[in-house]
Each structure stands twice: as C-alpha cells, then as structure tokens.
Amino acid sequence: MAEKMEFQSEAKQVLELMINSVYSNPDIFVRELISNASDAIDKLRIESLSRPELAGAAKEGRIDITVDKEARTLTFSDNGIGMNREDLVSFLGTIAKSGTAEFIRAMQEAKGGGADGLIGQFGVGFYSAFIAADKVTVDTMKAGDAKAWKWESTGDGTYTIDDGERTANGSSVTLHIKETEEKKDEEESAGKDYLSEWTLRSIIKEYSDFVTYPIYLSEKGKEKKDDEKEEPVNSMKALWTRPQKDIRDEELNDFYRHISHDWEDPMEHIYYKAEGTSEFRALLFIPNRQPMDLFYQDGRHGVQLYIRRVFIMNDCKELIPQYLRFIKGVVDSEDLSLNVSREMLQQDKMTAQIKSSLTKKILDTLAKMKKDDNEKYAKFWQTFGVVLKEGIISDLRRREELIRLCVFEGSDGKKTSVEDYIINMPAGQDKIYYITGSSLSNLQNSPKLEAFKKRGVNVLLLSDPVDEIWVNHALKYDKYDFVSVSAEDVKLPEDAEKKEEKNDGEVEKSGLAKKIKEALGSLVEDVKISGRLVDSPVCFVQKGEVISPQMRNFFKSMGQEVPEEKRVMEINPDNALIKRIASESEKEDFKAEEWSSLLYGLASIADGEPVADGRKFTELVGRLLEK
Ligand code: ADP
C-alpha cells in the first residue's frame, strides 16, 4: 500500500528551485543520473569485498537507458547497490549537507542561468531529474534484500513509497518526460527531445564517455535482431593511461567536467607519471572557480583513487594536502592493494609518497604559471590563494616555497611577490614589514604606515584572517624577519630616530603624554610620543604579540584564550591638533578626560574599530569643535 510522505523542508525548496530555474544546459540531468548509477555499482563492488554474501549480486556492472516513446518515459537502470525503504527516505527525501542554505540562495540568485553549474557542485544530482520530468519513479532493491520498493513523486512537496517490482538488486529511475510546449514562434528554439535516441546518444557521448561501466541505450518496441551485437554508447577509456602527447585538450576538458561535475573547462591540467619505487599516474585539474563546499568540513575534497584501473574511492583526502583541496582529478596506483581502506591509506607509506610527489608537482606547476602567465596566475590567486596560504601554517617543509607563491598587496598600491618585495627594498631595510586587519582600504589608510611611506618602505597589507595566523607561524622568509608595523617596538629602517630631533620638543615638555595616560587609566598600557606618525595625530600600537582587533574577536568567539591586549597610544608631536592640546594642557582648566577620550576614539577609528560609545563621542567632538 502506498504511503504518502513529505519532503524535508530544505529538500522541498531545492526541488522547487530545480523545477523553476533556468538552465543554460538542461542536459545535466542525464549526466547526474548516470553518475548516480555508476556510483551505485561502485558501492556494491566495494561492499562485496567485505561481505562475501554479496558476491553473487556484484556481477559485471552495467547501466541501461531505455526510451519508451509511447509512454513518454526514460529509464536509467543499474545493477548496483540499490536502496531499501530507509535509504529512500533518507537519500531521496532529505538533504543532510552543510551549505544547503547557501546553495538555495545561490540558486535563487542564478535566475538568469548558471543553475547547472551549481547543481553538480552541490551534489543534488538526483533532483535534477525534475528538470525534464514531471514525475519520477524509482523502483529499487537493495543488494542482499529480497524486497523491492517503489518511490514516486511529482515534485510537489510529497512523495509516495510502495512495494516495488524489481526482482534483482539495483535501481531503475524512470522519468516521465514533460510535454514540451507547442512552438508558438518558429524562430524560438523548442526544448530538446529527450526521447530521441540520437539526442541521448550525443549527450552520453559528450558528458559520460568516461564512465567505467558500459552504458547501453535501447528503445522500446525497437528490439534488436539476435545477431546484432550490443554496443555500449560510451568508450569507458581511462584517459590517464594514455601517453600525455596522445591526449587532446578537448578530451581533457571533457574528462574534467565528467569527474568534477563542473560545467566549465578547468583553468589548468596537470599530468604526472611516476616510475620507480612507487608507480602511479595522475591526471589533476585546477578548476576555474571556487567550489561551493571549499570551506566545509564535509566538503567533497580530494581526488579519485583508482588502483590498476579499478575505481576505489571518491574524495580521497589522503592523497592531497588539505591546502590543495581545490584540486580535482584521478590518481591510479599500480602498487596499492585493491582492498585498501581509508584507515589503511592514512598510515600507508606509499600513500604518503604519492601525496608528497603530487604536492611537489602541483606547486611546481603553480610556480611555472606564476612566472609565465601573469594573468592566469592572478586569476588563480584570486580564486584559491586564500586556501593555499593555509599550507604556510601546516606544511613546514614547503613553507618558503608557498610564501614565494603568494601575491601580496603593498602599501605602494601595487601587487608584489615576496621576492620582488625584497629586491625593491631601499638600502638599510632588512625586514619585511606588514600590517594585518580585516579591510584592505582600512589598512591602506592606516596612520601606522605614514613614516614607512615617507621613507619609501613598502608594507605588505594582509587582510585575510589566515594571514595573521601564518605570519605569526612563519616569522621569517629567508633571512628577513616579518615585522608588524603595529608593534610598539618596531624600528623604522635607517635614520628613523632622527625624526624626533626635528620636532621642537614642545609637546614633550608639556607632559601631555603622561596626562593622557592618567586620564585613560587602564584603557591603555602607556602613552608615548610617536616616531612613526607623519600626518595623523594619534594611533595605537601593541606591546608583545601583535593580534589585530578583528582576530582577537574571532578567537574570543571560538572560545579560545587570547593573550591580554597591551595597547600603547602614540601621539604625533608634529601634528597641529596635538600641539594645540599640549598647550591647552598647561592651562588650569585643562579638560584632560575629554581630550583623552577624543584621541582614544580617533585612534580606534584609524584601526577600523568602532568607538566605544558613538553618541557620546559625537557629542564630545561637537563640543570640542565649538571651542
Ligand atoms: P549525491 O550523488 O551527490 O550523493 P544525489 O542527490 O545524486 O546526491 O543522490 C543522493 C543519494 O541517493 C546518493 O548519495 C545515493 O545514496 C542515493 N542514490 C541515488 N541514485 C541511486 C542509485 N541509482 N542507486 C543507489 N542509490 C542511489
């Protein structure tokens, strides 16, 4: 008896979007359903390794696509793992993935097209059936079970589960193809006819040619003659086994789209063949854009692992370091054992060796791209630089190599590499200066840069959260220390100290610094006459470890302990406002509290922080201006 059930609310939303989105290429559903069928066969084969009772079910895998023109149906059938009732509810009735909300938002924004790319990235492949169908039926039996189940939905928010008809393990997904609307205008291109064998054949060739199981296409009522040989539509070729020179770019791009579910071509491909102690081949790709799950714990990171041409697993995180998780591709090992598990891979020496070789190859490729193709590298950096920088923290051995791959924003308004930074240092500079914070424009205008700018010393503006972490880990590049310009004890290169002789000592004589410190109390560690400010009246610097206010908040929100902040206020003895306050401070009725609060607020603003009490601060400024 059919039981009616509701989709979980996210699933309902995704389904609705799937039905109502505009696709630049609606063919994706064919690729997604074939890919699910192929995964199901893989799963059964792998499961049967540890469950011998399934050996009978795990026959030669095959995928059958059947067209029934009269009934207007298209069926994708596999002899894979199949699903039981519970699987149907949890796999086809719910979406339990992080980032679902972002996906839904991105889909809503992609109204004008581009939804295709999002579907593959997020992995809601099954629901794509509703692009072409107004009803989907899944008839399935789980390997090892004797009971078949039928799942059916018109995509309207509910589905039914009933007894199924299948007699062997696997799934048959039947799409009841929508009637294409009558062409009102001859010029207007009508929707594709997904019941045409020719159309299907060309879609399969284009997007699923690399599927490792044979895909057979047949039409009901057009049974072939006895002597006619059954020919799969796909070539099943393992591209990476061919010599590099024999692989055409077009094939590489097709293969990339097949494994990544991306809709665009990759930015770069990397071919690698290792011989010697460990023998393997790899075909890797750098995508053209960030996948949506790049920053999710449960994201699909890593490459596919094959062992002697047999598929072993998807998303093999063990073969690629975390900071290269945007890399897609295939690794095929000659040496690993076919029944290898993830746990074994984690401890395996050979895996570590493959990982190390691949990392080297990828970083070499990036270094070459950086040298030879500026524009391409700029695009790469913009897309994946923030992930690559994580490696500076985690991969000690390649730290300097990774720093060399970085592209930094300089306070001179230009982009620079660390090598160029060093070459362009003025005489007398022997440190790499940087400033951290959350907004580039804020950093660019920071008063702490003034004295550096004046001396022609470039300062790296580090505005990604990860920057502050790696720079505190790396400490130096080559023989050059990384030095924060926010540090209290930062020494300006060369003749920095001379500056103090230049000012007339008025401010110092007035004892203003001491008066401000008294007024501010524990808000600041100290107040000092500055040697680094040129135009601005005031700024904060830090004693001890430099941690930006933004990072401080971040650590606190994570419940982590942060060393207590030791803020020192520096005042500029050449600045007109400071001079004025200094002379005020020698008068009887000097309002130390008010002037100190003003300076404190100004320094906060310069750091990109809000002032503690905005209303009070505005009032104060108004009052002081009036005077
Ligand atoms: P994904 O394949 O990315 O996990 P899908 O939405 O395509 O997402 O599929 C959801 C789940 O439904 C799959 O993970 C799988 O467990 C199950 N499934 C889909 N198609 C099949 C099939 N033909 N045979 C067995 N299980 C399937």
Side-chain angles (χ1 to χ4, degrees):
M1 205 189 28
E3 193 181 338
K4 192 167 170 178
M5 307 185 79
E6 289 240 349
F7 283 103
Q8 163 227 30
S9 69
E10 272 96 356
K12 206 184 284 182
Q13 280 188 60
V14 168
L15 210 52
E16 235 164 65
L17 284 164
M18 204 66 82
I19 294 168
N20 297 316
S21 290
V22 178
Y23 299 94
S24 40
N25 196 335
D27 302 350
I28 37 166
F29 78 91
V30 176
R31 178 183 72 178
E32 297 298 323
L33 294 177
I34 291 176
S35 163
N36 279 354
S38 163
D39 287 350
I41 302 170
D42 284 331
K43 275 185 201 154
L44 175 56
R45 185 172 47 73
I46 289 159
E47 182 104 4
S48 70
L49 293 174
S50 56
R51 290 174 59 195
E53 74 272 18
L54 294 182
K59 297 182 288 282
E60 289 281 290
R62 62 177 285 156
I63 299 163
D64 283 277
I65 301 178
T66 322
V67 179
D68 184 339
K69 282 201 159 137
E70 211 167 301
R72 292 193 59 79
T73 61
L74 182 59
T75 302
F76 295 77
S77 214
D78 66 69
N79 56 355
I81 188 94
M83 286 177 269
N84 59 24
R85 192 180 180 285
E86 215 183 317
D87 293 341
L88 284 171
V89 173
S90 64
F91 296 152
L92 305 189
T94 57
I95 299 182
K97 278 196 181 104
S98 50
T100 310
E102 279 103 317
F103 172 73
I104 291 173
R105 199 170 331 111
M107 281 288 279
Q108 281 163 344
E109 278 163 18
K111 273 198 202 85
D116 340 55
L118 292 169
I119 293 172
Q121 273 185 66
F122 188 67
V124 278
F126 172 76
Y127 292 140
S128 69
F130 287 95
I131 294 174
D134 46 25
K135 185 165 87 177
V136 177
T137 312
V138 181
D139 190 6
T140 178
M141 183 192 278
K142 188 149 184 167
D145 287 1
K147 169 123 190 59
W149 295 98
K150 188 149 114 189
W151 179 102
E152 197 162 78
S153 176
T154 53
D156 62 348
T158 63
Y159 58 91
T160 56
I161 293 188
D162 201 350
D163 297 334
E165 283 144 30
R166 270 191 84 100
T167 50
N169 64 282
S171 307
S172 303
V173 179
T174 300
L175 276 57
H176 303 259
I177 301 294
K178 287 181 197 167
E179 299 269 356
T180 38
E181 282 173 46
E182 280 304 316
K183 256 200 290 181
K184 293 192 190 79
D185 180 349
E186 280 299 315
E187 295 299 299
E188 213 175 285
S189 68
K192 265 192 193 163
D193 179 8
Y194 291 113
L195 296 168
S196 140
E197 215 182 309
W198 186 86
T199 304
L200 287 167
R201 195 172 288 276
S202 66
I203 300 175
I204 298 166
K205 265 314 259 186
E206 191 173 357
Y207 300 110
S208 303
D209 202 37
F210 304 101
V211 169
T212 41
Y213 302 104
I215 304 169
Y216 299 102
L217 183 60
S218 61
E219 193 179 323
K220 200 173 169 209
K222 257 209 205 165
E223 271 70 39
K224 59 183 170 3
K225 299 171 206 89
D226 284 346
D227 57 347
E228 219 176 314
K229 211 177 149 274
E230 208 179 16
E231 287 279 1
V233 182
N234 57 331
S235 65
M236 297 176 275
K237 58 192 169 188
L239 205 60
W240 61 91
T241 58
R242 309 214 311 245
Q244 185 173 17
K245 62 174 174 41
D246 295 348
I247 313 176
R248 285 177 298 121
D249 279 356
E250 203 178 284
E251 289 176 296
L252 282 170
N253 291 346
D254 287 349
F255 182 66
Y256 165 75
R257 290 198 301 260
H258 164 66
I259 55 162
S260 67
H261 293 227
D262 195 348
W263 210 246
E264 287 169 35
D265 289 342
M267 182 185 296
E268 181 83 35
H269 73 265
I270 301 168
Y271 181 95
Y272 189 68
K273 182 166 178 247
E275 272 157 345
T277 41
S278 142
E279 215 174 295
F280 68 91
R281 285 171 195 253
L283 190 49
L284 307 178
F285 299 90
I286 302 173
N288 239 317
R289 58 189 161 135
Q290 276 197 358
M292 197 147 23
D293 57 4
L294 192 59
F295 294 100
Y296 299 149
Q297 278 288 331
D298 60 353
R300 293 194 284 190
H301 307 148
V303 296
Q304 294 184 340
L305 173 64
Y306 280 72
I307 295 175
R308 293 182 290 285
R309 256 72 59 214
V310 179
F311 172 83
I312 304 295
M313 64 178 79
N314 272 317
D315 315 331
C316 188
K317 296 183 164 89
E318 289 75 14
L319 292 175
I320 293 275
Q322 178 74 0
Y323 65 88
L324 295 175
R325 60 182 177 274
F326 50 86
I327 297 279
K328 300 277 172 211
V330 165
V331 174
D332 190 350
S333 159
E334 294 295 322
D335 315 304
L336 290 167
S337 135
L338 271 180
N339 57 7
V340 73
S341 67
R342 273 191 198 269
E343 292 68 41
M344 285 153 77
L345 279 176
Q346 275 157 17
Q347 290 148 22
D348 189 73
K349 260 203 34 229
M350 205 127 58
T351 319
Q353 226 172 60
I354 297 177
K355 183 174 173 180
S356 169
S357 313
L358 291 180
T359 307
K360 179 170 185 318
K361 177 75 186 177
I362 295 166
L363 296 190
D364 287 351
T365 306
L366 289 175
K368 191 165 180 309
M369 193 201 287
K370 185 164 184 281
K371 194 162 136 268
D372 299 344
D373 194 340
N374 248 315
E375 205 175 310
K376 198 174 189 180
Y377 193 77
K379 169 103 203 291
F380 164 79
W381 184 256
Q382 205 187 5
T383 317
F384 297 116
V386 62
V387 181
L388 198 71
K389 281 192 280 195
E390 292 173 15
I392 307 175
I393 305 160
S394 57
D395 196 344
L396 285 177
R397 211 151 60 94
R398 298 195 175 79
R399 183 165 276 173
E400 300 230 321
E401 193 178 349
L402 285 162
I403 295 177
R404 267 197 300 282
L405 285 172
C406 291
V407 179
F408 299 108
E409 300 285 341
S411 57
D412 60 0
K414 293 189 211 123
K415 292 193 193 310
T416 180
S417 67
V418 71
E419 286 165 306
D420 287 342
Y421 179 91
I422 291 168
I423 291 170
N424 294 324
M425 290 195 307
Q429 183 184 348
D430 59 356
K431 300 203 164 36
I432 301 170
Y433 294 99
Y434 71 89
I435 182 167
T436 55
S438 61
S439 124
L440 203 57
S441 65
N442 231 324
L443 294 181
Q444 187 67 267
N445 296 320
S446 170
K448 287 166 228 183
L449 302 181
E450 289 170 358
F452 291 87
K453 282 185 178 161
K454 201 171 174 200
R455 285 174 178 71
V457 174
N458 199 8
V459 177
L460 304 180
L461 312 177
L462 307 182
S463 60
D464 283 326
V466 65
D467 286 329
E468 193 154 335
I469 306 174
W470 74 252
V471 82
N472 279 318
H473 270 79
L475 298 174
K476 63 190 336 184
Y477 169 80
D478 196 7
K479 57 179 200 270
Y480 304 95
D481 290 335
F482 283 108
V483 173
S484 167
V485 303
S486 306
E488 184 222 15
D489 55 357
V490 66
K491 295 261 186 316
L492 288 164
E494 233 183 352
D495 52 1
E497 264 64 44
K498 286 190 191 135
K499 186 170 180 300
E500 275 170 52
E501 293 162 18
K502 199 176 68 178
N503 80 71
D504 47 23
E506 239 177 86
V507 174
E508 196 162 358
K509 266 187 266 147
S510 73
L512 177 63
K514 193 158 163 262
K515 289 173 199 160
I516 298 173
K517 167 67 188 133
E518 274 166 17
L520 291 177
S522 62
L523 275 177
V524 289
E525 182 79 9
D526 204 356
V527 179
K528 286 185 165 169
I529 305 280
S530 181
R532 80 182 81 205
L533 293 171
V534 177
D535 300 315
S536 300
V538 64
C539 73
F540 287 131
V541 297
Q542 291 183 43
K543 231 181 174 153
E545 197 178 341
V546 176
I547 305 173
S548 70
Q550 292 78 14
M551 211 56 199
R552 207 167 271 285
N553 290 340
F554 171 75
F555 281 134
K556 278 190 191 145
S557 73
M558 305 277 288
Q560 285 189 35
E561 252 181 65
V562 201
E564 212 189 311
E565 184 169 27
K566 295 200 170 137
R567 260 185 179 179
V568 174
M569 184 191 274
E570 289 195 357
I571 51 173
N572 180 359
D574 296 326
N575 178 275
L577 175 67
I578 298 291
K579 282 186 170 174
R580 180 69 206 283
I581 302 174
S583 83
E584 277 293 309
S585 78
E586 284 166 320
K587 292 186 189 156
E588 249 337 275
D589 61 346
F590 176 57
K591 298 244 180 341
E593 238 112 272
E594 289 193 345
W595 289 109
S596 303
S597 303
L598 174 78
L599 293 176
Y600 191 87
L602 292 179
S604 301
I605 292 170
D607 264 347
E609 278 183 85
V611 284
D613 184 339
R615 211 174 63 99
K616 216 164 129 193
F617 183 71
T618 320
E619 265 175 32
L620 177 67
V621 173
R623 204 161 44 215
L624 293 174
L625 276 176
E626 237 170 68
K627 283 190 194 165

